[in-house]
Amino acid sequence: MENEKELLGLFEVSAFKHYLRFAAENLRYSQDNLQRFLKQFPTATKVLTFEEWQKLGVLPKKKSRALEVLVPRKIVKRDATHQLLTTEDGERMIETRFTLSPCLFDVSQTNTSQKEWVTLFNRPECLGTPLRYSKLFVGLRAFSTGKVAIDFLKSGTLPDEKQVWVPQGLGEEATIKRILRDLVALEVDTLDERMKDFEVRAISYALFSHLKLSCEEETFPELVEWTKTGKTPFIFESTLSHLTTLLQQNIRRLDPVLEATFDPTVGKNPFERRLMAVQTARRRGQAPPVSERSFTLPSPEPPENAAVQAMNRRMKASNATRKTRSQAVRTERKIENDE
């Protein structure tokens, strides 16, 4: 009865939207655990364990109450006399039990802002810029590679099941959203066309939210209709579980592709990455990063000349080392020939 009330609460549009946004940012947890979190902390957005927040240099606030999560525990089975039970092969019999563990904290319970855990492609400085939309387009093309091709619809062309056709002139954000929705439609295999449309829009909404695209125009009229017709919440449970699994699978596949697309160091060797770091630091008016082995000589010359001089010194030292080694090899060979 309690679970039925929780599912019935998700028929409310704002609650359902918040659930989708929450599921998109917490990919490790099942539908049951996600609902459990929201029941304990209705405004939760991003939950991590104490250790995970600590790795980010963040600590939960004092007196913050940890959220409970249902975790699996492996228990070795014993008989009535507490003797270990084994299989026919002599292996211990182990069963899995689920227990509640209070170990998670929401970002609002910590002393940090959201910037510490936001993904690379959602950094505030690039949101809404033309470059971001172009990179999202490149990333989505890479994401769809091997499954479908993304192209713009031209006059005289016919849609193909292996292509996502996008009308021209939609605008940057509308184009990205159209591609995402079409890619999701290819993933959903629900036979009921009306239910499939609902699932596609729900998963698309979660992806739009995850990528910080505008998505509040979605109203999900089906929820209102189901409420009026008295639809049983338990029928909705299987749909919700399917939605959660599918949207999390898509985000797990999409995130690494977009991170690589937005990361300027991908495909570059260590020297190029260090050079980019120095150039970025200079553009920001900061001191360039210094490695443990580097040193700075007091010189009135500009940083570029000092860097060139340091490189020349390293090259001379390397040449001297090679020359010394070659001389030693020649000396050894001469001694062997004399003998």
Side-chain angles (χ1 to χ4, degrees):
M1 181 65 69
E2 186 176 354
N3 188 39
E4 186 175 353
K5 290 181 179 179
E6 293 174 10
L7 289 169
L8 190 60
L10 290 179
F11 280 0
E12 203 274 319
V13 176
S14 61
F16 181 63
K17 285 183 173 182
H18 183 66
Y19 172 84
L20 292 176
R21 294 193 299 268
F22 188 62
E25 299 305 325
N26 299 275
L27 304 179
R28 293 182 300 179
Y29 303 106
S30 65
Q31 169 223 328
D32 289 338
N33 269 328
L34 291 171
Q35 285 186 258
R36 183 172 286 103
F37 297 149
L38 292 177
K39 181 182 177 182
Q40 299 172 70
F41 203 105
T43 59
T45 55
K46 178 71 173 179
V47 295
L48 293 174
T49 64
F50 180 90
E51 292 75 16
E52 288 169 335
W53 283 123
Q54 197 172 35
K55 288 180 181 178
L56 295 174
V58 177
L59 291 176
K61 299 175 183 177
K62 292 183 178 180
K63 299 182 180 180
S64 294
R65 184 177 180 181
L67 306 181
E68 292 183 333
V69 59
L70 201 61
V71 295
R73 302 288 187 190
K74 293 185 177 181
I75 308 296
V76 179
K77 297 186 71 174
R78 297 175 183 270
D79 59 18
T81 60
H82 298 287
Q83 297 297 318
L84 295 176
L85 295 177
T86 58
T87 62
E88 295 179 356
D89 299 330
E91 297 182 356
R92 294 181 178 182
M93 297 179 65
I94 299 176
E95 65 176 346
T96 302
R97 297 178 184 174
F98 288 87
T99 58
L100 286 173
S101 175
C103 60
L104 295 171
F105 295 89
D106 182 61
V107 63
S108 63
Q109 295 177 292
T110 67
N111 56 358
T112 184
S113 62
Q114 295 185 0
K115 65 179 181 180
E116 278 76 5
W117 53 267
V118 72
T119 48
L120 180 64
F121 49 82
N122 274 339
R123 297 291 165 83
E125 60 268 19
C126 70
L127 291 179
T129 62
L131 179 61
R132 178 173 185 269
Y133 292 123
S134 64
K135 286 191 173 184
L136 282 176
F137 182 77
V138 171
L140 291 177
R141 265 191 166 171
F143 173 73
S144 66
T145 301
K147 303 188 81 172
V148 294
I150 298 173
D151 205 349
F152 288 97
L153 186 63
K154 301 176 183 178
S155 59
T157 58
L158 294 176
D160 188 286
E161 62 179 5
K162 293 185 178 180
Q163 286 185 302
V164 171
W165 293 98
V166 185
Q168 294 180 330
L170 289 178
E172 296 167 331
E173 183 166 329
T175 298
I176 297 299
K177 291 168 67 174
R178 174 66 178 267
I179 293 172
L180 276 170
R181 184 165 292 188
D182 287 350
L183 289 175
V184 170
L186 295 172
E187 298 283 342
V188 179
D189 55 0
T190 306
L191 296 179
D192 186 336
E193 287 298 323
R194 190 175 183 186
M195 182 58 71
K196 179 178 179 178
D197 178 65
F198 170 76
E199 292 179 356
V200 168
R201 286 185 288 110
I203 296 171
S204 299
Y205 175 87
L207 289 174
F208 297 163
S209 172
H210 183 64
L211 296 178
K212 300 295 186 292
L213 300 172
S214 61
C215 53
E216 290 309 314
E217 66 272 11
E218 188 61 70
T219 58
F220 298 112
E222 295 87 349
L223 297 175
V224 178
E225 181 182 342
W226 293 340
T227 302
K228 290 181 179 179
T229 57
K231 182 175 180 179
T232 305
F234 282 118
I235 298 178
F236 180 57
E237 185 173 15
S238 59
T239 301
L240 189 65
S241 178
H242 179 64
L243 283 175
T244 303
T245 301
L246 199 53
L247 76 87
Q248 291 178 338
Q249 286 176 351
N250 276 276
I251 292 175
R252 285 194 194 98
R253 288 172 41 226
L254 181 61
D255 275 3
V257 176
L258 293 182
E259 286 284 356
T261 304
F262 279 77
D263 189 350
T265 66
V266 169
K268 299 183 180 297
N269 59 43
F271 173 77
E272 289 177 318
R273 287 198 291 269
R274 290 196 299 270
L275 183 61
M276 289 186 64
V278 171
Q279 292 173 344
T280 302
R282 284 176 180 160
R283 283 197 299 268
R284 295 177 179 177
Q286 302 171 350
V290 181
S291 66
E292 295 179 356
R293 297 183 179 181
S294 65
F295 55 91
T296 304
L297 293 176
S299 172
E301 299 186 18
E304 289 78 5
N305 292 340
V308 172
Q309 289 176 2
M311 184 178 293
N312 290 335
R313 285 194 296 272
R314 287 194 295 271
M315 292 177 62
K316 289 179 181 178
S318 178
N319 292 336
T321 302
R322 284 196 293 268
K323 184 176 180 181
T324 302
R325 289 177 179 173
S326 62
Q327 289 177 349
V329 171
R330 286 197 297 269
T331 301
E332 290 178 0
R333 288 179 179 174
K334 183 177 180 181
I335 293 174
E336 290 177 357
N337 292 335
D338 291 343
E339 292 178 351

